[in-house]
Amino acid sequence: MLKRKIYRQFAAWKEKSRGRTALLVCGARRTGKSFIVQEFAKNEYASHIIIDFGNAAKEVKDIFLQDGSNLNLFFAKLGAYYRTKLWPRQSAIIFDEVQQFPPARQLLKYLVADGRYDYLETGSLVGLRQNVENIIIPSEEEQINLYPLDFEEFLWALGDDVTGDVMREHYDIRAELGQPLHRRIMNDFRQYMLVGGMPQAVNAYLPSQDFAAADEAKKRILELYRKGITKFAGGYEEKVMSIFDAIPGQLAKKEKKYNLADISKRARYREYNSAFMWLKEAMIVNTCFNATDPNVGLAMSRECTTQKCYMGDTGLLVTMAFMDEDFTGNELYRAVLFDKLNVNEGMLMENIVAQELRCHGKKLFFYSRQDSSSRKNSMEIDFLVRQGRKICPVEVKSASSSRHASLDKFTGRFSSNLGSSYILSPRDVYEKGGIIHLPLYMAMFL
């Protein structure tokens, strides 16, 4: 079993809520939502029922539709159908893939008020209009997101429960780790970039550290995503698919802002807005918006028409870039493992930073300004991260590059509202010229 940090959040919810709220766990498909929720219920309750609404029988759905007004009968029928004894305040009921049966989600208001049992839900695309338009969303519902494994969780999967704490200690005091330890962690981080954090890919990789096995698992996940787009993106599936398929090419460019003209010269953002939103809601992508004026707050100055679309999992991006080739033909694997990334392949570094920031609760913003009349006013910062009340610019660099002209321009322009400036690269920790240089694997701590 893969150890996940979200388990601790489940335990904190159970202790704090004491049955007063339901917990909705959202995430992309194949991030392990159903497994970790069921594992929690198995370990922390006397009994549990899991109702998979993606495959629920008509008899089960009828219990919700016909017996919701009589909860004694409702629970009696559920227990009988699943042959499970339910114990007041000691049992949990799980609504798996709840978006596929909205009436169950609406009933939660009354189930929670009844107070007999705890309720956990899992779902994807739970916020789409077609999944909520005919129901009242219960206010008694807390939401939490499950992402692919972060780097520390990947280390746990490798059997390393120590390095995460060591990295945190060195980040806190801004101290270098030393080349032997740094090289070893970077080697593990390169494996993480290639395998990614999807549980199926990690489990395929672990027995013999077989990249080919992980690649096959990722191909199956990508195919599942494509089928999901066809099935659930009703009315604009072609637009969603065109955006999805173009992600590797968009990220391979020097400027990684998504350019709709590459799909069609006549494409306009307003026509594709719903398609972008679908991918974001499905948590397949991590969307990064241009914040045009960091002085007034990131979200307040968000320019929705200028955005980057990172893959939610970098391992999937690696496989997606060479989807039609055998593993042995995937040049990215060799480039990453032997530290030979060129400018275009450096897209993986930026994508993995976006993934780590998102996994740890950061909303993604960048800064871009182009001034054709004055080059000194043109600049682009890869990420803007809020730390307390301050905005921190973050640049992602390859090992061979030490230039940071945009970072210097940005700090000069917005100095009154800025915190620390960071450069993330494959190098060890050091500070120079007022800029904190961190290894890529420390992105999770920003």
Side-chain angles (χ1 to χ4, degrees):
M1 172 187 165
L2 297 174
K3 182 179 169 186
R4 303 300 305 268
K5 294 177 180 178
I6 200 170
Y7 193 102
R8 296 196 296 260
Q9 294 175 264
F10 292 171
W13 161 78
K14 181 175 183 286
E15 176 65 25
K16 180 182 176 182
S17 170
R18 297 186 180 276
R20 292 187 293 270
T21 60
L23 184 65
L24 172 62
V25 183
C26 296
R29 300 184 73 182
R30 293 297 186 264
T31 49
K33 301 183 299 296
S34 301
F35 179 84
I36 192 64
V37 166
Q38 190 167 11
E39 200 64 26
F40 177 75
K42 187 190 306 180
N43 295 338
E44 307 297 335
Y45 293 90
S47 68
H48 71 279
I49 289 173
I50 181 165
I51 306 168
D52 179 4
F53 286 112
N55 194 35
K58 181 179 183 299
E59 294 91 332
V60 174
K61 294 181 178 179
D62 284 344
I63 296 173
F64 285 83
L65 296 174
Q66 298 171 10
D67 301 309
S69 60
N70 184 344
L71 293 185
N72 289 331
L73 181 59
F74 175 87
F75 293 127
K77 285 189 173 183
L78 271 187
Y81 186 89
Y82 288 97
R83 296 181 172 88
T84 300
K85 173 71 173 176
L86 293 172
W87 305 90
R89 301 306 318 132
Q90 297 181 59
S91 295
I93 300 176
I94 301 168
F95 295 173
D96 197 26
E97 298 294 347
V98 70
Q99 80 282 354
Q100 296 202 38
F101 191 60
R105 191 177 177 196
Q106 177 166 279
L107 190 61
L108 276 170
K109 174 181 179 66
Y110 306 100
L111 297 176
V112 170
D114 174 76
R116 268 177 267 190
Y117 311 113
D118 282 358
Y119 301 91
L120 298 100
E121 310 161 84
T122 75
S124 304
L125 300 167
V126 295
L128 289 187
R129 184 174 60 187
Q130 61 264 37
N131 292 331
V132 298
E133 62 182 348
N134 295 318
I135 68 168
I136 299 173
I137 299 175
S139 58
E140 297 80 6
E141 185 181 75
E142 296 184 41
Q143 181 173 328
I144 189 171
N145 293 330
L146 178 64
Y147 297 95
L149 277 73
D150 71 8
F151 179 48
E152 187 174 20
E153 290 172 322
F154 183 77
L155 290 174
W156 293 344
L158 294 178
D160 181 355
D161 294 331
V162 176
T163 300
D165 292 335
V166 174
M167 291 190 299
R168 164 62 80 174
E169 290 169 3
H170 284 75
Y171 169 81
D172 287 340
I173 62 175
R174 306 289 193 261
E176 66 177 8
L177 291 93
Q179 283 307 303
L181 178 56
H182 170 66
R183 279 197 298 270
R184 196 263 292 167
I185 300 175
M186 273 305 303
N187 182 60
D188 289 339
F189 191 74
R190 289 189 180 97
Q191 293 177 66
Y192 173 59
M193 278 200 292
L194 294 171
V195 175
M198 302 301 282
Q200 287 182 344
V202 175
N203 282 326
Y205 176 73
L206 287 178
S208 56
Q209 298 196 351
D210 185 350
F211 287 115
D215 204 57
E216 285 302 312
K218 289 184 288 178
K219 284 182 177 179
R220 290 193 295 271
I221 294 170
L222 288 168
E223 187 58 31
L224 180 71
Y225 284 178
R226 294 178 65 85
K227 289 178 179 177
I229 291 171
T230 301
K231 182 176 180 180
F232 297 114
Y236 45 92
E237 59 270 20
E238 290 185 8
K239 289 184 172 65
V240 176
M241 196 74 79
S242 64
I243 293 172
F244 177 68
D245 286 340
I247 288 174
Q250 295 286 329
L251 293 177
K253 298 183 302 184
K254 183 178 180 181
E255 290 190 2
K256 295 172 174 56
K257 296 187 290 290
Y258 204 104
N259 186 3
L260 280 175
D262 292 340
I263 296 176
S264 169
K265 294 186 183 301
R266 293 178 292 180
R268 297 294 180 267
Y269 178 78
R270 64 179 179 273
E271 300 168 354
Y272 282 78
N273 182 40
S274 294
F276 279 111
M277 286 297 297
W278 193 96
L279 286 168
K280 181 175 182 289
E281 183 68 29
M283 297 176 68
I284 292 173
V285 304
N286 290 322
T287 306
C288 186
F289 292 103
N290 184 23
T292 58
D293 187 2
N295 280 322
V296 300
L298 300 178
M300 291 176 63
S301 64
R302 183 179 74 173
E303 183 185 0
C304 293
T305 57
T306 308
Q307 59 181 281
K308 303 177 187 179
C309 273
Y310 298 105
M311 278 296 290
D313 180 72
T314 306
L316 291 180
L317 176 62
V318 172
T319 297
M320 192 176 180
F322 290 83
M323 188 69 177
D324 297 327
E325 296 187 22
D326 185 76
F327 158 75
T328 56
N330 194 329
E331 299 169 6
L332 282 180
Y333 280 88
R334 288 188 292 275
V336 171
L337 287 172
F338 294 101
D339 196 17
K340 300 294 184 182
L341 289 175
N342 62 36
V343 173
N344 290 344
E345 292 162 345
M347 68 179 179
L348 299 185
M349 293 184 177
E350 203 167 311
N351 200 92
I352 199 74
V353 170
Q355 179 178 339
E356 287 288 84
L357 292 175
R358 199 71 194 96
C359 280
H360 291 86
K362 300 290 187 182
K363 294 182 179 180
L364 301 182
F365 297 94
F366 70 102
Y367 180 83
S368 178
R369 178 178 178 180
Q370 302 299 321
D371 188 339
S372 58
S373 63
S374 177
R375 188 174 179 181
K376 67 179 182 179
N377 291 327
S378 296
M379 66 193 88
E380 183 152 337
I381 304 298
D382 295 326
F383 298 101
L384 301 176
V385 175
R386 181 174 293 280
Q387 292 182 344
R389 296 184 178 181
K390 297 293 185 178
I391 304 298
C392 300
V394 179
E395 286 276 76
V396 181
K397 297 290 186 182
S398 68
S400 60
S401 176
S402 59
R403 296 179 298 173
H404 43 78
S406 284
L407 196 58
D408 294 338
K409 295 177 189 176
F410 185 83
T411 54
R413 183 178 180 86
F414 298 106
S415 58
S416 62
N417 196 39
L418 297 186
S420 300
S421 296
Y422 297 95
I423 290 179
L424 297 172
S425 77
R427 298 179 179 180
D428 201 349
V429 180
Y430 70 98
E431 290 192 44
K432 184 178 180 180
I435 298 174
I436 301 170
H437 294 252
L438 298 174
L440 288 160
Y441 52 75
M442 287 189 180
M444 71 174 81
F445 301 132
L446 292 177

